[in-house]
């Protein structure tokens, strides 16, 4: 790989193969995240009543620092958020199209990772969802859990970023 030569023998073939395989994957999926998220995390984010507990729903990885300790959304500058926001900033995009785009190189995002990012965005008020002929803006909406708990329903739903919103300090000033 990459014009590297390796002297292989039966003792180190597997080790060399795994190293080369990892290099190929790293060079193909340049936007790949260091860890994966789960569908359960998305549901926890949507169901959590206390904003201060949102931080506990997520792994302790800087790439997934979506909320601060008060439950305010601080993930605008995260790579995964920016990539997904860019894809849905102009028009509604179906869950199926999002999954198709982001599972391919250079991203390699899993369905669950996309799901969590979208759950974070709806929770933060930065996402509109078209589902069953309705537009959903509120994470409390009773129909919202279906596209986030059933992959078939996720593929049918469409998502669009809401780009203008209040900052955390503006929201606090209103209260």
């Amino acid at each position: 790989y990459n014009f590297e030569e390796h002297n292989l023998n039966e003792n180190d073939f597997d080790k060399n193969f795994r190293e080369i395989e990892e290099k190929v994957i790293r060079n193909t999926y340049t936007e790949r995240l260091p860890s994966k998220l789960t569908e359960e995390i998305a549901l926890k984010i949507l169901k959590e009543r206390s904003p201060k507990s949102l931080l506990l729903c997520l792994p302790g990885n800087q790439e997934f620092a979506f909320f601060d300790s008060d439950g305010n959304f601080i993930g605008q500058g995260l790579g995964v958020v920016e990539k997904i926001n860019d894809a849905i900033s102009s028009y509604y995009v179906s869950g199926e199209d999002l999954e198709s785009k982001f599972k391919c190189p250079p991203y390699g995002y899993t369905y669950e990772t996309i799901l969590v990012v979208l759950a974070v965005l709806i929770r933060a008020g930065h996402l509109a969802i078209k589902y069953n002929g309705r537009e959903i803006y509120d994470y409390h909406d009773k129909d919202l859990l279906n596209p986030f708990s059933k992959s078939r329903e996720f593929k049918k739903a469409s998502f669009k970023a809401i780009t203008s919103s209040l900052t955390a300090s503006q929201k606090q000033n209103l209260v």
Side-chain angles (χ1 to χ4, degrees):
Y1 176 73
N2 235 10
F3 304 106
E4 295 174 357
E5 291 185 22
H6 298 275
N7 290 326
L8 301 176
N9 61 47
E10 57 187 61
N11 296 331
D12 65 357
F13 176 81
D14 287 339
K15 177 182 166 260
N16 280 315
F17 181 80
R18 280 192 300 278
E19 288 173 1
I20 293 169
E21 182 180 46
E22 184 58 37
K23 286 179 186 178
V24 170
I25 291 169
R26 252 194 331 262
N27 289 335
T28 303
Y29 292 97
T30 56
E31 299 291 328
R32 192 170 150 209
L33 298 170
S35 59
K36 295 176 180 157
L37 300 172
T38 65
E39 190 174 319
E40 292 78 33
I41 294 173
L43 293 172
K44 282 182 187 176
I45 288 168
L46 295 173
K47 292 177 181 179
E48 183 57 53
R49 295 193 187 278
S50 170
K52 292 186 178 196
S53 297
L54 288 172
L55 200 56
L56 301 174
C57 297
L58 298 158
N61 186 312
Q62 283 302 103
E63 190 62 44
F64 304 123
F66 300 117
F67 299 103
D68 66 12
S69 60
D70 291 326
N72 297 312
F73 178 65
I74 58 167
Q76 300 91 332
L78 296 176
V80 66
V81 172
E82 287 180 347
K83 302 286 188 287
I84 291 178
N85 257 339
D86 287 347
I88 60 175
S89 63
S90 301
Y91 49 86
Y92 281 93
V93 179
S94 73
E96 184 171 19
D97 290 345
L98 283 174
E99 191 176 356
S100 293
K101 174 185 172 91
F102 287 108
K103 74 178 179 185
C104 295
Y107 309 104
Y109 298 167
T110 62
Y111 154 75
E112 293 84 1
T113 297
I114 297 165
L115 199 67
V116 169
V117 172
L118 294 172
V120 165
L121 290 173
I122 189 82
R123 176 78 190 224
H126 293 269
L127 184 70
I129 301 172
K130 273 190 184 177
Y131 178 69
N132 279 347
R134 310 180 36 231
E135 287 189 3
I136 300 172
Y137 299 95
D138 184 9
Y139 74 92
H140 292 104
D141 192 293
K142 62 181 173 48
D143 289 336
L144 186 63
L145 291 181
N146 280 337
F148 285 91
S149 58
K150 300 173 184 160
S151 66
R152 186 174 54 238
E153 297 302 312
F154 170 78
K155 290 178 181 192
K156 292 182 202 175
S158 296
F159 305 88
K160 184 178 185 302
I162 298 173
T163 53
S164 61
S165 65
L166 299 175
T167 66
S169 62
Q170 289 172 324
K171 289 178 186 176
Q172 287 175 346
N173 288 338
L174 289 174
V175 176

